[in-house]
Amino acid sequence: MPRRRTSSSSSSTAPSAPSAPRNRTPQPVRVRRRSFGDFVKAFLAFVVLAGLILGVPFALAVTVGWPFPGGAPSLDWLQREITVHTFLSILTVIVWLAWAQFTACVLVEVKAAVSGVGVPGRVPGSGPSQLLARQLVAALLLVGATAASLTPGLSQLGQSLEGNQKPSVAAAQQTPGLFAQQQEQAAATAGALAEQAGQAGQAAARADGGASSAHGDTKYYRIQPPEGRHHDSLWEVAERHLGDGRRYKEIFELNKDRVQPDGSRLSEASLIRPGWIMEMPGDARGGELVEMPDEAPNVSEQVQQQISDYAQTGDHAQGGGDAQVSLPEQRPAPTPANPVTPATPVPGTGEEHAAPAAGQAGDSFGLPEALLAAPLLAAGLLGALGRRRRQAMWQSALGAVGGRRGMEPPTPTGDAQDVQDALLVGADPEGVRLLDRSLRGLAASLAAESRPLPVVYAAWMSGNGDLHLQLAQPAGKPPAPWQQGQDQTFWMLARADAERYEDADTAAPYPGLVSLGTMDDSRLLLNLEAVPGIVSLSGTEADRAAVFASVAAELATNGWSDRMTITLVGFGDDLTPLAPNRIRHLDGFEDLFETMSAETRQRRGALGAAGHDSVLTGRTGPAQHTRWAPHLVLLAAQPSDDQALQLAELAADAGRLGIGYLVGTGGTDVPGAAWEMEITGEGRLLAPLLGLELDAQLLPAAQQRAVVELFTDADPDSGPGSGPGGGHGRANTPPFLVDISEQGRPAVYARLVGSYEIIGLDAPDGERSALLHEALALLLLHREGVHPRVLSSALWPRGVTADVRDALLERLRAWLGTDPDGTPRLATDATGRLTLAKSVVSDLDVLRSLYYEATQGRGVGSRQVRGRLLTDALVLVRGPLLADRPEGRYRWLTHEIVDAQLPLLVADTGLALSEFHLEKNRAEKAIEALNAALRTAPADERLWHELLRATHSTDDPDRLRALAADLVARSGARGLPPRTEALLDELLPTWREGVAAAG
């Protein structure tokens, strides 16, 4: 992003003064080198304009004459015969009128282009004609102006026409939009976003004395006329004369609401006009500055008088400076960048001094930092992975016997294991839950008041859990418990109020929100579907790819949206497994343009037919769950100039239609880009025109591959046992097999299925007993090993220091003790993960081992052994997992799939034992086994089917009819599943009559 230089930027009135520090933030105004093609386009535009403006009237005058009549019209004209000549005359007049209209359009566009003030006026009834004129004028002037300012069909934001329009942000002066309303919205948003970043720079500069401007060292600057169509801005003034563009806020504070020479005022950092006077901080440097009005020999007397008059309003301007309230002032002091917040001590644990998160100040034990610092992304990926694994287990359970993969997902290794641990440590499911409930609750409250959803450009999630929504424009008083933030374009919800929200039966109002990064302790989520145009991202290809992968992965798996379509163009074909129902991949721009053109037309027509002005109004109506899902397009490679113009036309109305575009660029401008961002090699996401400088949220290539590996391994159609004859491979073998013989009696035995009991250990210290029991349960459920950071984040989800974690591990080692040969029962493997010795066993381990031996081990060749093993296994089932766990603990179980594994394991054991008894016609024994399994797996349809068959084999129709009535009562309003109804029709054709009689 090259910087723009002026002839005076390098000069100084005090050469000996130390140079001000330069801002490493890229200059927002770019100078694009003109190519040969630009000059060709300009020449062709000149030829076309000359032909249309001069050639057409000359040709008409020569061939058919002037359109003006030779004399005054009379009534005889109306009585003349209509001939071919009459039609030609009428057609000639129409052509002359069309020429006059086009000429007026050209004059309007030229005036706007040359003056650079205000948006071009609209010539009545000249939509296509004015668009053509705008494109030709833009092409003609392209060789002498910035590319972003002269994009065909675009006009600059926030320029006041008569001083009565809402001012916009100076830093957003080059943010393009296609319609005036979208321009005003983008400018307002840019101002609020820039205000957040500017506050920090302003405070730092004041601390250094840069903002103190006593009258004796006050300087003044006169806004320069535009160069071509480029306008001066507060950002550039601060960049040239203060050394840091972010200090534009200091200039704004010094000049806010002061009357300018033309009678207008600077308000909300609006776009400044040529001829305005700006009071500058005392440390400003540069040849364009005027030290004092009466010592300004280089300016005219008129300018001296203007500066002198302006200086008299200084006290008034300073008086209103403190009224500005920015978002950072509503947040707590910044904390170290970590996804886990400081802990609140858990009473009774003995760890009351716990504070920062585990590893917060230490190392990450080799886990990927990118995922540790992305709590919302990690929570979405972890939740989606859990759902995929559950789906795979159920599909395996209901599939053919030969295709069974078992109930154990493949144990990840290498990078995939590290990524899974990073997801467990970094995930913030509570934050996702609060965000989702807060947004849906807001939508429900507005719908109850018959108010539309406001357009939201961004959301800020502060470190203490407060949520700030940044609106495109004021939308009135927010519904309770929401409050107005720093101004009318901010709505704020405190975490305490968000926690009182219940689940609302309403559509997700802002599914296009996606995390971009953090600033201080706040996380920014940009609403891609609401941006009035394209969002461009520049930087190296690898850095852009990490941002695009993060955005795509979070959009595909986030917990605050219902339905959406994510189209990836030119990248991400391997990301499809994350959400096959959401993500689709296109190879190139041609496919994209064809697809999006059709969808844009379809959405525009559907909105019009439904009477909605935008997708937001459609999301609050009766059909909210069935329509208006967002479509977000991620285009990694920069399009060509022609492609960019086509894309800009599509994006003109995208915000209203719920379509968002994120486009990558190698560093040059993208026409139609409403917001421009840059990702640096240091992981900083910069948006100078918006005043943003974030720690970017990334998903580097190595972590992306590992995440995809986790999802593909969980796919029921891939991996061991998925092919013909599968079901006996590695995936079907439990991760830990127990010696179930008499010689394999364990030293420590823990009962987890049912109430939690431990046999073989003395009771630990009462204050720490609950924490030690929970740590042991986590280790028992993960015999492959548990990462220390996973353990600490599970036990202390709000954070803990490394010394507290290490102290717990030492107590756990001492409590578990050693085996007779001196081997510690809690050890650390080569990867640094915590593992338990084989002498420490749980009933879940025994249950898995018994079922495995009965169905794939010794029980395969011996019927007697199989029956005994299956009976012993079913006896172990005493209830759900950890049935009496204390409230508020064991929250890490929400990340586990054991809640789905255990019922499936029990159901499979009951089915196998039932089959064993039915082979010898012992129906009652089979029914007893099935009823025992149903107590733990009451929703397993397979158990009910076998129970119906076993009951039917007793030849007792009344008993079968009673079971059918019980099944109907359990099914409730949903009714019986189709396969169950079909089975009842086969076993008891009159079952419906019995149910009706019972009803």
Side-chain angles (χ1 to χ4, degrees):
M1 298 174 67
R3 300 178 186 272
R4 175 182 179 272
R5 304 288 188 187
T6 64
S7 59
S8 60
S9 61
S10 59
S11 60
S12 174
T13 57
S16 60
S19 60
R22 300 299 299 170
N23 176 23
R24 68 182 183 90
T25 304
Q27 178 71 13
V29 179
R30 304 186 179 104
V31 175
R32 176 175 177 263
R33 294 184 180 275
R34 305 297 168 237
S35 65
F36 176 74
D38 293 334
F39 287 97
V40 172
K41 291 179 181 178
F43 175 74
L44 294 177
F46 173 77
V47 172
V48 173
L49 282 173
L52 292 176
I53 296 178
L54 301 178
V56 169
F58 178 77
L60 289 174
V62 171
T63 57
V64 298
W66 294 100
F68 305 108
S74 64
L75 293 178
D76 294 339
W77 287 13
L78 301 178
Q79 300 174 358
R80 293 179 182 178
E81 181 182 359
I82 299 177
T83 63
V84 174
H85 177 72
T86 305
F87 280 108
L88 291 177
S89 300
I90 295 174
L91 182 61
T92 301
V93 173
I94 294 176
V95 174
W96 273 109
L97 290 176
W99 170 83
Q101 184 188 57
F102 177 77
T103 303
C105 294
V106 172
L107 294 176
V108 168
E109 294 296 328
V110 170
K111 176 181 179 297
V114 173
S115 66
V117 178
V119 298
R122 296 183 62 86
V123 178
S126 62
S129 182
Q130 187 165 8
L131 178 60
L132 175 61
R134 184 176 308 165
Q135 293 173 337
L136 292 174
V137 171
L140 181 61
L141 299 181
L142 182 64
V143 295
T146 60
S149 299
L150 287 177
T151 299
L154 304 178
S155 54
Q156 291 187 327
L157 278 174
Q159 299 170 335
S160 301
L161 295 177
E162 300 297 337
N164 58 354
Q165 295 182 354
K166 181 178 179 179
S168 60
V169 184
Q173 62 175 322
Q174 286 191 329
T175 306
L178 293 178
F179 298 108
Q181 179 181 5
Q182 295 171 337
Q183 294 168 349
E184 293 173 2
Q185 293 175 355
T189 301
L193 283 168
E195 197 171 15
Q196 298 169 22
Q199 191 74 11
Q202 178 189 4
R206 285 177 175 172
D208 294 336
S212 61
S213 55
H215 185 72
D217 59 3
T218 298
K219 301 177 180 64
Y220 296 90
Y221 173 79
R222 188 170 185 266
I223 303 302
Q224 301 301 309
E227 298 179 12
R229 286 196 66 185
H230 165 67
H231 295 262
D232 213 348
S233 70
L234 291 184
W235 180 285
E236 293 184 87
V237 173
E239 177 70 20
R240 291 197 302 269
H241 301 295
L242 300 177
D244 189 344
R246 289 171 296 182
R247 292 184 63 185
Y248 81 91
K249 188 64 178 296
E250 299 175 47
I251 306 176
F252 166 70
E253 293 293 342
L254 289 172
N255 298 276
K256 180 177 181 292
D257 293 331
R258 296 169 67 175
V259 179
Q260 294 291 336
D262 62 358
S264 56
R265 299 172 185 265
L266 176 66
S267 175
E268 297 184 9
S270 72
L271 181 66
I272 52 182
R273 299 181 183 178
W276 279 12
I277 309 298
M278 293 289 119
E279 182 179 343
M280 301 291 291
D283 62 338
R285 298 289 183 270
E288 298 171 345
L289 299 178
V290 175
E291 294 287 342
M292 288 298 296
D294 55 354
E295 299 175 2
N298 295 328
V299 299
S300 64
E301 294 184 2
Q302 179 183 4
V303 174
Q304 289 185 29
Q305 185 61 43
Q306 290 177 352
I307 296 177
S308 178
D309 294 341
Y310 187 76
Q312 304 303 316
T313 65
D315 293 338
H316 167 74
Q318 294 281 31
D322 295 335
Q324 292 292 325
V325 180
S326 61
L327 179 59
E329 295 297 328
Q330 301 177 357
R331 298 178 285 154
T335 58
N338 191 286
V340 186
T341 57
T344 299
V346 180
T349 63
E351 315 298 350
E352 285 75 16
H353 59 289
Q360 199 167 38
D363 60 77
S364 62
F365 291 90
L367 297 183
E369 289 289 352
L371 290 172
L372 294 177
L376 303 184
L377 170 62
L381 289 172
L382 199 60
L385 182 61
R387 291 189 295 272
R388 182 68 54 81
R389 287 173 171 171
R390 287 179 172 86
Q391 180 185 14
M393 286 190 299
W394 279 107
Q395 289 183 3
S396 175
L398 299 176
V401 176
R404 287 296 301 271
R405 293 184 60 196
M407 290 156 288
E408 301 297 332
T411 302
T413 59
D415 290 344
Q417 187 177 21
D418 290 339
V419 162
Q420 178 173 277
D421 288 340
L423 294 178
L424 289 168
V425 174
D428 182 16
E430 181 66 12
V432 172
R433 185 184 68 86
L434 290 178
L435 176 62
D436 182 47
R437 286 189 173 184
S438 299
L439 296 177
R440 293 181 194 267
L442 174 64
S445 299
L446 290 172
E449 298 176 7
S450 299
R451 295 172 59 185
L453 288 168
V455 177
V456 170
Y457 278 156
W460 289 92
M461 293 185 68
S462 64
N464 63 353
D466 294 344
L467 176 62
H468 302 258
L469 295 184
Q470 191 162 345
L471 312 185
Q473 54 191 357
K477 182 180 179 181
W482 290 78
Q483 305 172 23
Q484 185 170 297
Q486 64 191 54
D487 56 40
Q488 294 183 359
T489 61
F490 276 84
W491 286 1
M492 191 270 289
L493 180 68
R495 181 187 179 97
D497 295 327
E499 290 174 342
R500 290 194 285 268
Y501 266 123
E502 301 292 337
D503 291 332
D505 184 21
T506 186
Y510 305 111
L513 286 170
V514 64
S515 304
L516 291 184
T518 57
M519 184 167 64
D520 294 335
D521 64 338
S522 288
R523 181 168 303 276
L524 171 66
L525 291 88
L526 179 66
N527 191 6
L528 279 181
E529 68 166 336
V531 176
I534 298 170
V535 179
S536 69
L537 177 68
S538 62
T540 66
E541 184 177 357
D543 293 332
R544 296 200 318 264
V547 175
F548 272 88
S550 169
V551 170
E554 184 170 296
L555 288 173
T557 61
N558 72 58
W560 54 88
S561 63
D562 298 323
R563 298 180 302 109
M564 71 170 61
T565 300
I566 307 163
T567 297
L568 310 181
V569 186
F571 85 105
D573 53 339
D574 56 337
L575 291 174
T576 306
L578 301 186
N581 59 332
R582 285 192 179 187
I583 296 179
R584 67 177 178 182
H585 176 264
L586 298 178
D587 292 329
F589 181 83
E590 299 303 327
D591 294 337
L592 171 67
F593 184 73
E594 180 180 356
T595 300
M596 297 312 299
S597 296
E599 179 158 350
T600 299
R601 290 192 299 270
Q602 187 274 333
R603 288 198 175 214
R604 188 180 290 119
L607 279 176
H612 299 308
D613 57 355
S614 74
V615 295
L616 290 180
T617 55
R619 285 184 187 145
T620 56
Q624 55 181 298
H625 293 289
T626 59
R627 60 173 65 184
W628 318 127
H631 188 159
L632 305 176
V633 177
L634 308 184
L635 178 61
Q638 179 174 352
S640 66
D641 291 344
D642 292 338
Q643 292 172 346
L645 293 179
Q646 291 176 312
L647 200 60
E649 293 177 2
L650 287 178
D653 206 15
R656 186 177 70 91
L657 303 177
I659 304 175
Y661 295 90
L662 178 61
V663 180
T665 169
T668 57
D669 296 328
V670 175
W675 292 345
E676 298 177 340
M677 301 182 297
E678 178 190 6
I679 178 64
T680 70
E682 295 77 27
R684 301 286 289 172
L685 190 66
L686 310 177
L689 297 180
L690 302 179
L692 291 177
E693 190 169 342
L694 307 171
D695 291 321
Q697 179 171 295
L698 307 171
L699 186 59
Q703 283 80 58
Q704 176 184 334
R705 288 192 296 269
V707 166
V708 173
E709 181 182 340
L710 290 174
F711 278 80
T712 53
D713 285 348
D715 194 321
D717 296 327
S718 66
S722 60
H728 302 290
R730 172 177 60 87
N732 203 35
T733 303
F736 177 69
L737 288 173
V738 178
D739 183 359
I740 56 177
S741 65
E742 289 295 329
Q743 293 76 22
R745 188 176 298 275
V748 177
Y749 182 69
R751 292 179 174 175
L752 304 179
V753 184
S755 58
Y756 192 1
E757 301 175 14
I758 297 179
I759 302 171
L761 290 178
D762 296 332
D765 181 9
E767 293 183 356
R768 298 186 175 95
S769 176
L771 205 60
L772 291 173
H773 277 73
E774 186 174 357
L776 180 57
L778 178 61
L779 291 166
L780 285 168
L781 292 177
H782 291 276
R783 302 306 301 236
E784 74 278 6
V786 177
H787 197 286
R789 288 200 65 176
V790 173
L791 179 67
S792 60
S793 65
L795 300 181
W796 296 282
R798 295 172 63 90
V800 70
T801 55
D803 58 333
V804 173
R805 178 197 64 221
D806 295 340
L808 170 78
L809 292 179
E810 289 304 317
R811 282 192 291 271
L812 186 59
R813 285 191 177 96
W815 180 43
L816 292 175
T818 60
D819 286 333
D821 61 357
T823 303
R825 291 169 180 158
L826 178 63
T828 303
D829 65 9
T831 66
R833 289 173 171 82
L834 303 167
T835 59
L836 291 173
K838 292 185 177 180
S839 59
V840 182
V841 172
S842 73
D843 55 354
L844 185 57
D845 296 327
V846 177
L847 176 60
R848 287 169 171 159
S849 300
L850 288 170
Y851 177 75
Y852 177 79
E853 282 294 325
T855 57
Q856 300 187 51
R858 292 180 293 133
V860 175
S862 173
R863 170 180 168 79
Q864 182 180 1
V865 172
R866 183 168 73 254
R868 177 173 56 82
L869 293 174
L870 290 173
T871 302
D872 291 345
L874 209 55
V875 169
L876 291 175
V877 181
R878 301 175 297 119
L881 188 76
L882 298 169
D884 57 350
R885 57 181 179 266
E887 184 179 357
R889 303 208 66 90
Y890 297 86
R891 293 182 179 178
W892 46 269
L893 282 173
T894 58
H895 300 316
E896 305 288 338
I897 61 171
V898 68
D899 60 333
Q901 288 175 313
L902 179 59
L904 277 176
L905 178 59
V906 173
D908 282 353
T909 304
L911 290 170
L913 187 56
S914 171
E915 181 183 2
F916 171 82
H917 288 305
L918 287 177
E919 288 175 355
K920 295 297 185 179
N921 296 320
R922 294 195 292 262
E924 293 299 335
K925 288 288 186 180
I927 292 173
E928 181 182 350
L930 292 169
N931 282 325
L934 279 168
R935 285 194 287 270
T936 300
D940 197 313
E941 190 179 2
R942 299 173 301 159
L943 292 174
W944 289 107
H945 289 175
E946 291 305 312
L947 185 59
L948 287 171
R949 293 188 179 99
T951 304
H952 177 263
S953 66
T954 63
D955 294 326
D956 187 347
D958 292 335
R959 187 175 181 182
L960 183 59
R961 190 174 293 106
L963 179 59
D966 183 37
L967 271 175
V968 172
R970 288 174 179 268
S971 62
R974 295 177 301 173
L976 290 175
R979 288 184 296 185
T980 304
E981 283 193 359
L983 180 60
L984 278 173
D985 289 337
E986 174 66 23
L987 301 179
L988 186 66
T990 60
W991 68 274
R992 289 182 174 84
E993 299 174 3
V995 170

